[in-house]
């Protein structure tokens, strides 16, 4: 009788242990879905908030001021009553912006990106200028100096490009840091909106 009782207790204990294991396994297999918050930002305070939002998703609205004619890889949006100007680039799904968007009011959702300009970067740029390389790529774009800090394209004058480099170098010196940061938005989706709707995203 005692032997039977011991066997029964051992069997019950084994069942209990198996049940707990199943519960633990099922719990560990549950997927945790995290919904990332989309932060509303206005163009007027984008530069102020951008550093803390790098890598995060934001939504902002404005008027398309300019779209790069070389493949539609850059778009700049502005805001009435503000000197702010934000550079927007398309993700791989959008690929390029249509030039017909110029002058339209749009709402953009995207991820804030940072481009750092330091002395090594400027020296590389100088070497490209002196080697008569194509100046079609971006170098140090941003709202600094009116947003005109990009490379000048195929027809760029060496003197103009070198002046841009020197201006950036001066800004680094005055900043007290070893680099400058320029922020832009990698657009994941956008839509054309009515004027009053575009003005509603103001934080």
């Amino acid at each position: 009788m005692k032997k039977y009782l011991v066997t029964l207790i051992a069997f019950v204990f084994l069942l209990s242990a198996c049940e707990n294991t199943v519960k633990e396994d099922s719990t560990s297999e549950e997927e945790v879905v995290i919904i990332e918050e989309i932060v509303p930002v206005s163009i007027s305070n984008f530069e102020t908030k951008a550093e803390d939002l790098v890598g995060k998703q934001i939504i902002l609205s404005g008027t398309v001021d300019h779209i790069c004619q070389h493949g539609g890889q850059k778009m700049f949006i502005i805001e009435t009553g503000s000197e702010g100007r934000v550079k927007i680039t398309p993700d791989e799904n959008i690929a390029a912006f249509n030039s017909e968007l110029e002058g339209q009011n749009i709402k953009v959702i995207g991820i804030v990106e940072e481009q750092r300009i330091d002395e090594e970067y400027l020296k590389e740029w100088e070497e490209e200028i002196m080697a008569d390389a194509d100046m079609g790529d971006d170098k140090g774009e941003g709202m600094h100096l009116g947003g005109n800090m990009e490379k000048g394209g195929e027809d760029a004058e060496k003197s103009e490009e070198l002046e841009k480099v020197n201006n950036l170098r001066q800004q680094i010196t005055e900043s007290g840091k070893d680099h400058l940061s320029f922020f832009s938005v990698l657009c994941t989706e956008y839509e054309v909106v009515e004027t009053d709707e575009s003005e509603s995203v103001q934080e």
Side-chain angles (χ1 to χ4, degrees):
M1 182 67 179
K2 288 183 178 180
K3 185 176 180 180
Y4 174 76
L5 184 59
V6 171
T7 303
L8 180 61
I9 292 173
F11 180 69
V12 171
F13 178 78
L14 180 61
L15 285 178
S16 176
C18 290
E19 183 179 354
N20 288 336
T21 302
V22 171
K23 286 182 179 180
E24 289 176 2
D25 290 344
S26 62
T27 301
S28 63
E29 291 177 359
E30 290 181 1
E31 293 185 3
V32 178
V33 179
I34 300 176
I35 300 176
E36 183 180 356
E37 178 186 3
I38 300 178
V39 182
V41 179
S42 68
I43 293 175
S44 60
N45 63 22
F46 175 78
E47 283 291 314
T48 303
K49 294 186 174 183
E51 185 174 3
D52 295 327
L53 294 172
V54 173
K56 296 182 179 179
Q57 207 170 26
I58 68 168
I59 179 171
L60 73 167
S61 298
T63 303
V64 179
D65 178 53
H66 174 72
I67 292 179
C68 177
Q69 300 302 312
H70 301 287
Q73 294 302 300
K74 293 174 293 183
M75 173 171 68
F76 294 89
I77 61 176
I78 59 175
E79 178 182 274
T80 303
S82 167
E83 296 182 357
R85 190 170 187 253
V86 179
K87 174 187 171 183
I88 313 292
T89 58
D91 70 357
E92 58 182 13
N93 293 322
I94 296 175
F97 297 117
N98 193 315
S99 60
E100 294 180 358
L101 286 172
E102 285 192 7
Q104 298 276 3
N105 297 307
I106 67 169
K107 183 182 295 182
V108 173
I109 294 178
I111 299 170
V112 178
E113 296 186 320
E114 178 184 16
Q115 180 185 27
R116 290 195 171 191
I117 308 297
D118 55 17
E119 182 58 30
E120 181 180 353
Y121 192 93
L122 294 178
K123 286 182 178 179
E124 178 186 330
W125 188 358
E126 283 179 321
E127 291 174 0
E128 292 177 3
I129 295 171
M130 300 312 295
D132 293 322
D134 179 11
M135 295 291 105
D137 296 331
D138 295 343
K139 285 289 184 186
E141 284 186 295
M143 64 177 294
H144 297 75
L145 299 185
N148 296 317
M149 294 307 299
E150 59 184 299
K151 286 184 173 182
E154 296 179 356
D155 300 325
E157 295 288 338
K158 281 186 178 181
S159 59
E160 293 178 357
E161 295 302 296
L162 288 172
E163 183 179 359
K164 292 177 183 179
V165 172
N166 290 331
N167 285 335
L168 286 168
R169 185 172 281 127
Q170 181 64 30
Q171 287 185 45
I172 292 176
T173 301
E174 293 174 353
S175 72
K177 300 179 180 179
D178 62 355
H179 69 276
L180 294 175
S181 292
F182 294 90
F183 302 97
S184 60
V185 177
L186 178 66
C187 179
T188 56
E189 60 179 289
Y190 70 89
E191 64 173 320
V192 176
V193 298
E194 298 298 328
T195 303
D196 55 349
E197 186 177 351
S198 69
E199 292 176 349
S200 64
V201 184
Q202 306 293 328
E203 292 293 332

